[in-house]
Amino acid sequence: MAGRKSLVTGALEANNGRWRQIPLSPMNILIVDDHPMIAEYLSGAAAKAFEGALVCAVDDLDGALAAARGSAFDLVLLDLGLPGYGGIESLLRFRKAHPDLRVVVVSADEEPTSVRGAHAAGAAGYIVKSTKPKVLVSALRLIAEGGKYFPPDAMTGPDQGTPESRLTARQRQVMVLLLKGQTIGQVAKQLDIAPGTAKQHAIAVYAAFDVSSRADLILSARRSAAA
């Protein structure tokens, strides 16, 4: 019976009672970043993390969506600062178009609310652009083997203040409308923002309260107000 060693070194296969190492298919990685130096840095890290990795780099979301339709990628490294898209909206669009792909957010934003928002939106990981190379390589290997990586301080560190205090003014406006029962479309219309932006703010609200539904948000908000 074969036993997998890792995605990097290969697998073990039984052959007439003997074990021999067989190579696994190389990792196929899509990098989406409009900054050439960052794209090159990520490509180098991917090559170091996975021997023989095949890397494709594009600089906009439309190109990434098109590339993903024609290739079987194992990992997608997605910058949240792409031109024309507001923050997590690019992740939401990519996840909607390709829900089976493991997407790792790459961002200069270190705010815990942003990290938790990406987690709530289905990202397999969140890598800050200032992450040290050794940590980046280890994070990519962990994610490729089925795990998740998010900055520990953002996910488990002590929080200061109430959930509301960790929201921006716009996010608090969205929270109030959600608590009134308005849909994302209604929130967007009332605040005169794009539906994708309204959804981004809603995800940040859910992340701040550590909930995943409107019903849980209402209960959590009541508990917070009573505390």
Side-chain angles (χ1 to χ4, degrees):
M1 182 177 180
R4 180 182 290 261
K5 289 184 67 180
S6 77
L7 287 170
V8 180
T9 59
L12 295 176
E13 181 183 75
N15 182 20
N16 295 327
R18 296 182 179 180
W19 292 91
R20 68 184 181 88
Q21 188 167 341
I22 59 173
L24 293 174
S25 299
M27 292 290 291
N28 200 4
I29 299 173
L30 175 62
I31 293 175
V32 192
D33 199 300
D34 65 325
H35 197 297
M37 290 185 63
I38 296 296
E40 184 176 352
Y41 169 63
L42 294 174
S43 297
K48 188 171 183 179
F50 313 109
E51 185 176 354
L54 304 177
V55 179
C56 172
V58 296
D59 60 7
D60 60 48
L61 185 63
D62 291 335
L65 293 171
R69 284 195 296 269
S71 301
F73 289 104
D74 299 293
L75 282 181
V76 179
L77 308 185
L78 177 66
D79 177 25
L80 287 191
L82 296 172
Y85 297 95
I88 211 167
E89 183 181 353
S90 54
L91 172 61
L92 294 171
R93 288 193 60 188
F94 201 99
R95 290 280 298 151
K96 182 177 181 180
H98 304 285
D100 295 331
L101 285 181
R102 295 178 65 76
V103 182
V104 181
V105 166
V106 179
S107 177
D109 185 356
E110 301 183 40
E111 288 298 318
T113 299
S114 300
V115 178
R116 291 170 181 163
H119 181 272
Y126 192 107
I127 295 175
V128 179
K129 290 185 177 181
S130 59
T131 298
K132 295 181 179 180
K134 287 185 178 180
V135 177
L136 173 55
V137 168
S138 297
L140 292 178
R141 288 174 176 168
L142 172 66
I143 295 167
E145 293 181 347
K148 292 189 176 185
Y149 175 83
F150 293 86
D153 291 343
M155 300 302 293
T156 61
D159 293 320
Q160 300 298 322
T162 64
E164 293 95 328
S165 70
R166 297 193 291 273
L167 299 175
T168 65
R170 177 65 86 184
Q171 289 165 358
R172 285 194 290 272
Q173 289 177 323
V174 171
M175 179 192 73
V176 170
L177 296 177
L178 290 174
L179 292 175
K180 289 181 178 180
Q182 293 196 13
T183 65
I184 293 296
Q186 291 170 330
V187 170
K189 185 175 181 180
Q190 181 155 336
L191 297 180
D192 194 24
I193 56 179
T197 302
K199 188 172 184 179
Q200 172 188 344
H201 290 317
I203 288 174
V205 171
Y206 288 154
F209 280 87
D210 194 23
V211 298
S212 58
S213 70
R214 188 192 301 267
D216 289 339
L217 174 64
I218 293 172
L219 292 174
S220 184
R222 287 175 178 172
R223 287 195 296 267
S224 179

